[in-house]
Amino acid sequence: MKTFCGRANPTTGALEWLEEDENYDYHQEIARSRYADMLHDKDRNTKYYQGIRAAVSRVKERGEKAIVLDIGTGTGLLSMMAASAGADFCYAIEVFKPMANAAVKIVEKNGFRDKIKVINKHSTEVTVGPDGDMQCRANILVTELFDTELIGEGALPTYEHAHKYLVQEGCEAVPHRATVYVQLVESKRMWSWNKLFPVHVEAEDGEKIIVSPSEMENCPGVPSVCDIQLNQMPSSDFTILSNVVKMFSVDFSKPVRSAPTSYRVQLEPVKSGKAQMVLSWWDIDMDPSGMINCTMAPYWVKSTSAFQWRDHWMQCVYFLPNEEPVLQGENVYLTACRDEYSVWYKLQKARGEEENKVDVRVESPVCRCQAHLLWNRPRFGELNDQNRTRQYVKSLMQVLKTDSVCLCISDGSLLPVLAHYLGAKQVQYFFLFFKANHLDDKIKIIEARPELLTSSHLEDKKISVLVGEPFFTTSLLPWHNLYFWYARTAVTSHLTSDVTVLPQSASLHMMIVEFQDLWRIRSPCGTCEGFDVQTMDDMINNSLDFRESKEAEPHPLWEYPCKSLSDPQKVLTFDFRKTVPQHCLSAEGSVTILRKGKRHGAVLWMEYHLAADISVNTGLMQISNEKGNCEWNPHCKQAVYFFSSVTESETLSDLPNDVTYAINFDTKTGEIAMDFKL
Ligand code: SAH
């Protein structure tokens, strides 16, 4: 079957109809899935195996047959562990069809065809009885349905249903329980992802301060969790205000209730400060005694010897609705509220009047100011980056004149405000922001796509300064912001002949890297805990080749340490002073490998050249030492192109020291294709 999906091309802005193969989504999901990362998670796998063996033994000791229910079997891994541990029979449930098919193959290949029945259904559709999917209820419940927030993938309703309909009372559960931990912190860096700080502009007639509207100041923000690799957050970037406390636990061996509820703990601040966010993570005990424990605790909490890198489970940052000053030694009460799929937090100074009646219905935060809907967290961080703002201010000062008519093309940008303060006569743009800064009569918002811009929108004036950061919310990969170039091309007839375009150009840069850990998410596993899972590797490879073959993927590299193996290299330039050319832009060449290491892939990013000598860089900030450790722009995602085979050199001389590349920017489709030879 073929379907056509309409979408706006993120780079060219053109509305296009894509012919989607019905398997397209499947392949996307598999190619970009976390299965490989999970199979590489040795700590998780060994602990599941230990927990499963212990559970099977306990059931056998009671003289019962061990009947296992494995919900969300994926590759079939946990069922194969159970079967190897002596389980009599396993029902392996998997809702995602391609995975269920893979599980059938993997189970068969490993010789468990008689012991494991793969059922391609959502667990809530599974039937029990002589004619059902399961002959009888299970007495061992094994699952791995957790996300970074623990419950975000629907573990609670799934368990609730399983206890009601699919497992026996008193069943063994692996994991046996999960516990959520919290710690109160203050962090200017993380708070800058949630609130807009005053922006200082050094104008010729003195300093101007752009303030956020009070709606924005008091807005509780959006409820979604911010899940990040907290282990990459240096301890100098936050202040711990409380000890780590247990917030709540879920016992998976007993009936589970998914209905919304709340939990409250008392915290004694260990330091005075501004409580701004709750850092949170969880651990799971694979057995009732808690001897087999798998934890997501960050580096400052747990000993580094137990450290396991993983991307499928990270840590959570929950922003409090407002920052609250707390005093060392003066108790505060932290309430965690949850519904079926998410958690949010509230901090209270005093114990409520009715001590035991915790307000169950503390509402999930809802953004009232719109800004949290327009700007995601990295974007808040970017707009709060004073260094970056300074570059724009400097360059705007160079190009703006008192009679400039300025058009800004960027999403949710503060450039119009800067341009106004720096003296532009008229600025065309949008936003609630202007009200707070009394600019609504100075800045005009145009609600039209660039190609539909008319002279009446511009009150018959020509644009003398065209600006953009550029930034667009539809951009996923760095070069998608080249939409600015297409928009610039579309409005050409409205520009003066000597128009200034800022940025004047952009360039695409590239570097070959060795990742400390990120390689795991795309690397084949072969065997996992002794089970042959190559079918999974083949499936991922097949999906990578399906259509998106040879595509780069976006990753925020500040969270994923890597080492540069080559110098960064400029590969393409895009001249915004001219319109988008008809022909493709391409580059071929070679990069010299300067350091030994595993050549995992290439990283690509954009630099914007605002004006003479002033640039903003969305990628590599610096190579911090002779080992080649990289520092990346913390607000942007970079593009990562994983090489299909990884080559490693022990010394610099035992491999060719050049990687050759061919990169092509198709100006018609806005797509960048690349090819590397190692
Ligand atoms: N058990 C495997 C895979 C875990 S990933 C392992 O540990 O390696 C979780 C899997 O559960 C996904 O494949 C997802 O599709 C599936 N899943 C989640 N909820 C489910 C449900 N209620 N019923 C069936 N499958 C489910």
Side-chain angles (χ1 to χ4, degrees):
M1 190 178 81
K2 300 272 185 206
T3 44
F4 288 89
C5 298
R7 67 153 198 179
N9 180 304
T11 310
T12 65
L15 195 66
E16 53 193 30
W17 291 96
L18 289 184
E19 193 183 322
E20 294 290 22
D21 188 292
E22 70 172 326
N23 293 323
Y24 177 76
D25 283 349
Y26 278 7
H27 287 296
Q28 269 299 296
E29 190 146 337
I30 292 162
R32 305 279 176 248
S33 74
R34 296 165 185 264
Y35 293 106
D37 180 27
M38 294 188 293
L39 294 173
H40 281 293
D41 186 343
K42 180 85 187 148
D43 180 58
R44 176 196 87 119
N45 300 337
T46 51
K47 283 167 180 167
Y48 261 98
Y49 210 168
Q50 287 169 17
I52 288 168
R53 282 199 197 101
V56 172
S57 306
R58 288 197 300 278
V59 167
K60 295 259 162 176
E61 273 162 26
R62 297 202 289 259
E64 295 170 23
K65 274 192 162 182
I67 308 297
V68 176
L69 171 64
D70 170 12
I71 302 180
T73 200
T75 52
L77 179 71
L78 305 183
S79 287
M80 294 192 292
M81 288 179 178
S84 299
D88 294 277
F89 202 79
C90 303
Y91 296 101
I93 320 296
E94 176 53 56
V95 64
F96 185 38
K97 192 158 197 299
M99 277 316 300
N101 293 344
V104 170
K105 284 190 205 147
I106 295 171
V107 161
E108 194 152 324
K109 201 167 173 191
N110 286 277
F112 293 108
R113 198 217 294 230
D114 305 336
K115 291 273 180 202
I116 299 173
K117 179 180 176 187
V118 178
I119 301 166
N120 175 210
K121 278 190 176 179
H122 192 269
S123 60
T124 52
E125 305 291 314
V126 169
T127 54
V128 183
D131 302 319
D133 299 311
M134 298 169 67
Q135 287 287 300
C136 60
R137 288 183 174 227
N139 54 5
I140 299 179
L141 174 57
V142 177
T143 79
E144 202 273 61
L145 301 167
F146 314 115
D147 66 349
T148 295
E149 201 177 13
L150 187 71
I151 63 171
E153 277 173 17
L156 294 178
T158 293
Y159 271 109
E160 182 168 39
H161 173 272
H163 277 287
K164 277 189 189 148
Y165 303 106
L166 307 177
V167 297
Q168 297 169 19
E169 205 184 315
C171 76
E172 299 288 342
V174 184
H176 180 81
R177 83 172 73 71
T179 307
V180 171
Y181 298 85
V182 292
Q183 190 166 32
L184 210 55
V185 302
E186 169 176 343
S187 165
K188 189 170 180 214
R189 173 165 178 200
M190 286 186 261
W191 199 237
S192 83
W193 303 342
N194 187 48
K195 294 277 174 193
L196 190 73
F197 298 160
V199 181
H200 296 260
V201 185
E202 297 289 343
E204 257 155 27
D205 51 342
E207 186 183 65
K208 307 271 166 70
I209 300 174
I210 305 174
V211 294
S212 9
S214 58
E215 291 106 301
M216 210 188 274
E217 278 293 303
N218 302 321
C219 179
V222 279
S224 59
V225 63
C226 170
D227 50 341
I228 55 166
Q229 293 280 2
L230 262 187
N231 288 312
Q232 297 309 319
M233 181 69 61
S235 54
S236 52
D237 280 357
F238 60 98
T239 309
I240 288 172
L241 299 180
S242 84
N243 290 326
V244 176
V245 293
K246 281 188 188 183
M247 194 70 228
F248 63 93
S249 283
V250 187
D251 180 342
F252 297 122
S253 71
K254 305 256 158 55
V256 168
R257 289 186 49 189
S258 67
T261 186
S262 65
Y263 312 87
R264 189 162 68 162
V265 293
Q266 184 177 324
L267 294 175
E268 189 184 309
V270 293
K271 203 170 174 180
S272 300
K274 284 180 282 186
Q276 292 168 325
M277 65 265 329
V278 172
L279 303 185
S280 172
W281 56 88
W282 49 261
D283 68 9
I284 43 183
D285 286 322
M286 296 298 184
D287 65 329
S289 75
M291 295 289 282
I292 312 164
N293 178 275
C294 183
T295 175
M296 306 310 124
Y299 67 89
W300 64 92
V301 178
K302 89 176 161 186
S303 71
T304 46
S305 63
F307 192 77
Q308 165 77 51
W309 183 87
R310 44 172 75 95
D311 204 41
H312 61 118
W313 294 330
M314 297 181 274
Q315 292 78 26
C316 306
V317 181
Y318 294 97
F319 298 95
L320 290 171
N322 289 298
E323 61 180 13
E324 289 276 354
V326 295
L327 289 173
Q328 183 178 351
E330 218 171 82
N331 286 338
V332 288
Y333 296 87
L334 183 67
T335 307
C337 305
R338 67 151 184 79
D339 55 20
E340 285 172 295
Y341 298 97
S342 64
V343 187
W344 60 95
Y345 285 88
K346 195 179 156 175
L347 191 71
Q348 284 153 315
K349 281 280 179 62
R351 201 179 282 245
E353 290 97 65
E354 303 149 89
E355 190 180 315
N356 296 318
K357 263 202 190 161
V358 181
D359 184 10
V360 180
R361 294 263 160 209
V362 180
E363 284 186 7
S364 146
V366 178
C367 169
R368 295 187 295 253
C369 74
Q370 310 287 317
H372 296 91
L373 307 176
L374 180 69
W375 298 328
N376 63 15
R377 277 134 187 171
R379 177 65 171 156
F380 262 96
E382 184 171 53
L383 292 173
N384 279 322
D385 183 337
Q386 287 281 351
N387 253 330
R388 180 175 181 274
T389 303
R390 225 169 286 132
Q391 305 308 311
Y392 285 100
V393 168
K394 267 202 296 190
S395 54
L396 281 169
M397 279 166 89
Q398 277 185 22
V399 304
L400 288 173
K401 303 193 188 85
T402 46
D403 61 349
S404 293
V405 176
C406 182
L407 174 70
C408 173
I409 305 178
S410 268
D411 287 343
S413 178
L414 298 179
L415 285 189
V417 192
L418 299 182
H420 171 74
Y421 279 141
L422 295 167
K425 180 172 150 204
Q426 199 174 355
V427 183
Q428 317 276 348
Y429 200 58
F430 78 119
F431 218 8
L432 111 136
F433 209 84
F434 304 138
K435 284 219 168 69
N437 290 281
H438 309 293
L439 294 173
D440 24 346
D441 56 333
K442 311 274 175 28
I443 297 173
K444 183 180 164 195
I445 302 162
I446 303 174
E447 288 182 48
R449 295 170 52 82
E451 62 274 22
L452 301 177
L453 190 73
T454 61
S455 5
S456 64
H457 283 125
L458 302 172
E459 292 154 15
D460 293 324
K461 296 195 183 71
K462 290 265 179 195
I463 294 151
S464 58
V465 179
L466 178 68
V467 299
E469 298 181 35
F471 173 89
F472 302 99
T473 49
T474 42
S475 298
L476 300 171
L477 288 161
W479 46 87
H480 289 166
N481 283 327
L482 285 175
Y483 174 61
F484 178 73
W485 203 12
Y486 290 82
R488 177 257 178 267
T489 304
V491 301
T492 300
S493 64
H494 301 286
L495 309 177
T496 59
S497 56
D498 59 348
V499 65
T500 308
V501 183
L502 182 165
Q504 58 190 29
S505 65
S507 48
L508 179 70
H509 298 248
M510 189 262 289
M511 188 171 76
I512 309 295
V513 302
E514 172 184 61
F515 286 107
Q516 188 178 301
D517 301 293
L518 191 65
W519 58 271
R520 290 170 206 272
I521 68 168
R522 299 287 168 260
S523 153
C525 315
T527 62
C528 178
E529 296 302 306
F531 303 105
D532 180 344
V533 292
Q534 207 198 319
T535 305
M536 186 69 219
D537 298 336
D538 297 345
M539 196 167 140
I540 293 175
N541 265 332
N542 177 38
S543 287
L544 282 171
D545 285 343
F546 175 66
R547 203 184 78 187
E548 298 290 288
S549 67
K550 303 297 163 206
E551 230 196 39
E553 43 185 290
H555 290 284
L557 289 186
W558 74 266
E559 293 184 65
Y560 303 101
C562 67
K563 199 170 101 167
S564 84
L565 299 184
S566 73
D567 279 336
Q569 192 150 329
K570 190 196 303 188
V571 284
L572 287 176
T573 350
F574 314 93
D575 188 351
F576 297 157
R577 287 166 298 193
K578 303 197 181 110
T579 55
V580 178
Q582 296 291 314
H583 56 84
C584 293
L585 302 179
S586 51
E588 281 181 23
S590 64
V591 235
T592 308
I593 299 298
L594 303 170
R595 289 187 190 82
K596 54 187 186 181
K598 294 196 171 97
R599 299 168 192 183
H600 287 133
V603 178
L604 298 102
W605 66 93
M606 297 287 286
E607 263 183 55
Y608 298 103
H609 309 291
L610 304 183
D613 302 330
I614 307 175
S615 296
V616 289
N617 178 351
T618 66
L620 183 71
M621 306 314 285
Q622 66 168 14
I623 296 175
S624 36
N625 53 23
E626 73 275 18
K627 285 195 200 122
N629 295 334
C630 302
E631 240 175 73
W632 299 95
N633 180 319
H635 316 301
C636 299
K637 287 185 179 176
Q638 291 76 31
V640 177
Y641 180 97
F642 288 99
F643 297 148
S644 40
S645 65
V646 173
T647 45
E648 183 179 16
S649 53
E650 280 306 317
T651 67
L652 262 181
S653 53
D654 58 286
L655 272 177
N657 271 345
D658 281 351
V659 172
T660 59
Y661 63 84
I663 295 183
N664 183 57
F665 176 60
D666 183 335
T667 53
K668 295 246 159 30
T669 63
E671 273 162 29
I672 290 194
M674 51 196 108
D675 190 29
F676 292 86
K677 292 209 170 48
L678 300 174

